[in-house]
């Protein structure tokens, strides 16, 4: 009887997992599939509310590429990746100091995270003034620095769980060999936290890539505008070519999908490594 109950439980759990997975995939893929469908629609098809294009318009994709879309994608990638590297360079030693040396006590991590929860609009004017003082306003470098500093709080909070799992004995063994605190962090801790750094770096880079508000206020030149800003500029005052806008959106999604596909294993391994806090 017990064996039958266990067998029934084993057979029911995979079925429930498959159902949940299918529902999640449907909820995730349907909007993307409809976006791809709209990218081949004419204005008349969009106005008629069709699900599939009556007369496909491949020219929407060529029109989307004819503007500053590729430069906007390039700017977004530079700002996202550069900001993520800067964020990790600051967040790793900060999280290490919190976990190993009890810097700031037990509440420092939460205190650092609290400003990140505020609406970004409150920081626009101070950041704009500061960048103008440094002659970095309306530049990709200035936006990258802002992204790198803006997400330090969430990176520290995420990395804290990973750094707590590094055995203290490794630090002590390295210190017995004459290594200082910086040498321990760079040579011992950082290689062990590589999966975690990749996972947190991907999260931070995606946040930077999708950010709109700061990019809209801090970059006005086409040479520094990112993808979200370029997409909003495609919205006309009276008439909007939704097919062109959808095609540009799909093209903008490709780098994120490519990164997720190539780094999926590292992302999963990094997140599971820090699951037990």
């Amino acid at each position: 009887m017990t064996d039958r109950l266990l067998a029934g439980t084993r057979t029911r759990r995979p079925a429930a997992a498959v159902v949940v997975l299918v529902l999640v995939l449907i909820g995730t893929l349907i909007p993307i599939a409809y976006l791809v469908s709209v990218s081949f629609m004419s204005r008349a098809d969009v106005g008629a509310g069709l699900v599939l294009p009556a007369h496909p318009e491949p020219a929407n994709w060529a029109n989307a590429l004819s503007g500053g879309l590729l430069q906007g994608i390039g700017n977004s990638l530079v700002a996202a990746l550069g900001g993520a590297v800067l964020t990790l360079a600051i967040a790793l030693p900060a999280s290490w100091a919190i976990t190993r040396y009890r810097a700031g006590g037990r509440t420092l991590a939460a205190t650092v995270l609290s400003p990140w929860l505020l609406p970004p609009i409150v920081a626009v004017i101070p950041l704009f003034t500061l960048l103008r003082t440094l002659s970095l306003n309306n530049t990709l470098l200035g936006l990258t620095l802002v992204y790198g500093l803006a997400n330090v709080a969430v990176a520290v909070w995420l990395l804290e769980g990973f750094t707590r799992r590094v055995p203290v004995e490794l630090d002590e063994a390295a210190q017995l060999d004459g290594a200082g605190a910086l040498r321990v962090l760079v040579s011992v801790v950082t290689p062990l936290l590589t999966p975690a750094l990749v996972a947190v770096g991907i999260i931070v880079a995606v946040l930077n890539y999708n950010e709109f508000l700061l990019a809209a206020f801090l970059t006005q030149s086409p040479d520094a505008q990112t993808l979200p800003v370029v997409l909003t500029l495609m919205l006309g005052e009276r008439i909007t070519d939704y097919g062109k806008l959808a095609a540009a959106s799909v093209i903008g999604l490709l780098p994120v999908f490519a990164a997720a596909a190539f780094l999926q294993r590292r992302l999963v391994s990094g997140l599971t490594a820090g699951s037990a806090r």
Side-chain angles (χ1 to χ4, degrees):
M1 184 66 179
T2 304
D3 295 339
R4 292 181 181 179
L5 290 176
L6 291 175
T9 303
R10 292 172 182 172
T11 55
R12 282 196 299 269
R13 285 181 179 175
V18 170
V19 171
V20 173
L21 179 60
V22 170
L23 293 177
V24 171
L25 287 176
I26 290 175
T28 304
L29 296 179
I30 284 182
I32 299 176
Y34 183 67
L35 183 65
V36 175
S37 178
V38 174
S39 68
F40 289 97
M41 290 186 184
S42 62
R43 294 179 182 177
D45 293 340
V46 175
L50 300 179
V51 177
L52 297 175
H55 303 286
E57 294 283 347
N60 291 335
W61 290 72
N63 295 333
L65 292 172
S66 62
L69 178 65
L70 294 181
Q71 185 172 6
I73 294 176
N75 292 340
S76 290
L77 291 174
V78 171
L81 297 177
V85 171
L86 178 60
T87 298
L88 293 177
I90 300 174
L92 178 59
S95 62
W96 184 250
I98 292 174
T99 56
R100 276 293 187 269
Y101 302 103
R102 303 295 188 270
R106 297 181 178 180
T107 61
L108 180 60
T111 303
V112 171
L113 183 63
S114 56
W116 187 80
L117 302 177
L118 295 174
I121 190 66
V122 301
V124 168
I125 295 178
L127 288 174
F128 182 86
T129 305
L130 180 60
L131 290 180
R132 185 175 60 181
T133 303
L134 299 174
S135 300
L136 293 176
N137 190 27
N138 197 25
T139 63
L140 191 59
L141 176 59
L143 184 63
T144 302
L145 292 176
V146 170
Y147 282 170
L149 297 176
N151 290 315
V152 168
V154 67
V156 169
W157 182 72
L158 291 173
L159 285 173
E160 186 185 359
F162 296 104
T163 53
R164 290 187 186 278
R165 293 174 58 90
V166 178
V168 182
E169 291 78 10
L170 295 178
D171 298 15
E172 297 173 350
Q175 290 171 357
L176 289 176
D177 292 336
L182 182 60
R183 180 67 180 273
V184 172
L185 177 62
V186 174
S187 301
V188 178
V189 177
T190 301
L192 294 175
L193 292 179
T194 298
L197 293 174
V198 173
V200 176
I202 293 173
I203 295 173
V204 172
V206 171
L207 291 175
N208 295 338
Y209 188 82
N210 296 329
E211 199 281 326
F212 167 73
L213 184 64
L214 296 177
F217 278 92
L218 301 180
T219 58
Q220 296 81 36
S221 172
D223 296 334
Q225 288 173 342
T226 58
L227 173 64
V229 179
V230 173
L231 292 179
T232 58
L233 295 177
M234 293 184 181
L235 295 171
E237 295 182 359
R238 297 182 179 180
I239 300 176
T240 300
D241 191 348
Y242 289 102
K244 174 184 176 181
L245 181 59
S249 301
V250 174
I251 296 173
L253 289 174
L254 294 180
V256 178
F257 286 162
F262 285 109
L263 300 175
Q264 178 182 8
R265 184 172 300 176
R266 287 182 175 270
L267 177 61
V268 173
S269 63
L271 293 177
T272 53
S275 58
R277 297 187 59 165

